[in-house]
Amino acid sequence: MMKDIYYYLGWCCSLLAVFTVRAVDFISPVDNPPVKTAGAVFEKAEINAGDVVRAIWKVTGQGVFEAYVNGSLVGDDFLKPGFTEIGKCRHVYSYDVTELIRGAKGSTNVFSATVAAGWWCDAMMSSKNAMPWQVGKKLAFRGEIELEYADGKRETRGTDSTWRASYAGPVVEAGIYEGETYDARRKGEGLKPVEVNSEFNGEFRPAVAKIVLRRDLALKPISMYVTKGAEGANTSAFGKAKIVRRVDASGRIHLKSDELLVVDFGQNASAVPAFQVVGASGTTVKIRHAEMLNEANGEKSRGNDGPAGTPYLASLRSAKAALSYTLGEGPNSFMPRHTFFGYRYLAVTATAPVT
């Protein structure tokens, strides 16, 4: 009997040598957010203990999140983890990231994520009627990196106190009602050691469904025009927007700082705008989204909130529903990934000339 016990214990130890597991926690930036809906960045550089033949990353977040390996976006899903009861369930997304990592022994791979307030601690979740268990307090990220080595050993590395985070990433702030403010000049500076977040005590479930961005259903503008000022305005009406030029829907747009670009996509949709823009670093492009235009002569008695021909925004009520993008160096391409909008029309302005 004693011989059998010794044999059993030795067999257990050999399994532990093959499979190593490190603790996995939800982690949050140690600092408080500068604004309630500030976005957070998380990062950790991991060194391979051997030649990696397979790598699986299982991730979830408290807030809408995106995951990256060596700077490459992981997965084709959108607005993870979707709307769930925040006190009960977090959906976990599993990705084979073998092709994204440097597999040689001793190589360094950088795992990172951005997390925004959507469906966790933004205005969507913090209505006056919300219960305490419905509203999250602090953004957090959780990930498990499962590594399989060429010699058969396996290792799981999880988010823990060795990760670093900050609120200084490019997502300045974002939320489902708020929209998104993005500064392409910010690269996630000032990362600090994280703190363990214990807010969530519910169940982790594999994500069996996902939100997909239907790029095959992309809408192109059917018309675009630039306005400046209004004519026919009086104390009871905003007047009609002065159209200074119309823009070919397939052409290049030139927009000055004192002009408003109106874009019409032809139908209402739940969507996000994607664009390329050239301008001086630090220039900010601002976009508001609307389902209809102000009409007639912009009469206030008819409920108009601006000159006829400009997007009608009063129906948004308290929702900011705005996109703000600050350019970095060189040509900039952008599409928000931490919010979405319902609209047919865009109202676009810029703080300096852009094309």
Side-chain angles (χ1 to χ4, degrees), residues 75-250:
D76 61 354
D77 35 25
F78 192 62
L79 295 175
K80 298 184 292 288
F83 183 85
T84 59
E85 173 50 71
I86 67 174
K88 297 180 180 179
C89 172
R90 288 285 93 183
H91 288 154
V92 178
Y93 295 74
S94 296
Y95 302 102
D96 187 327
V97 295
T98 308
E99 297 300 318
L100 296 179
I101 70 167
R102 305 176 185 98
K105 180 179 180 180
S107 294
T108 299
N109 294 287
V110 178
F111 296 85
S112 60
T114 60
V115 185
W119 290 317
W120 176 257
C121 57
D122 63 350
M124 170 73 80
M125 304 303 293
S126 57
S127 71
K128 63 181 180 180
N129 297 319
M131 301 297 291
W133 49 266
Q134 292 178 303
V135 183
K137 295 180 177 62
K138 203 165 186 180
L139 302 179
F141 177 69
R142 185 182 190 274
E144 297 178 71
I145 307 159
E146 297 181 356
L147 301 173
E148 181 179 343
Y149 297 109
D151 61 4
K153 293 181 180 179
R154 297 184 180 183
E155 181 181 17
T156 295
R157 304 181 184 185
T159 44
D160 57 19
S161 59
T162 64
W163 277 63
R164 299 172 69 82
S166 81
Y167 289 102
V171 181
V172 179
E173 56 180 318
I176 302 303
Y177 286 158
E178 292 85 348
E180 184 166 334
T181 299
Y182 191 98
D183 190 337
R185 300 169 299 176
R186 298 183 10 159
K187 305 299 181 184
E189 302 86 352
L191 298 177
K192 298 179 180 179
V194 298
E195 63 182 16
V196 173
N197 185 300
S198 58
E199 284 185 69
F200 180 73
N201 295 302
E203 178 183 358
F204 293 105
R205 298 178 186 173
V208 295
K210 60 184 182 180
I211 302 173
V212 176
L213 191 66
R214 291 292 302 274
R215 296 181 183 273
D216 58 314
L217 297 180
L219 295 173
K220 294 184 178 181
I222 62 169
S223 72
M224 295 188 289
Y225 52 88
V226 176
T227 75
K228 182 179 178 180
E231 53 189 4
N234 53 53
T235 57
S236 61
F238 294 101
K240 295 181 179 180
K242 292 182 180 179
I243 298 177
V244 296
R245 62 185 177 278
R246 295 188 179 274
V247 182
D248 185 340
S250 61

Side-chain angles (χ1 to χ4, degrees), residues 53-65:
V53 296
R54 191 164 185 251
I56 304 295
W57 201 14
K58 299 178 180 180
V59 290
T60 190
Q62 293 175 179
V64 170
F65 73 95

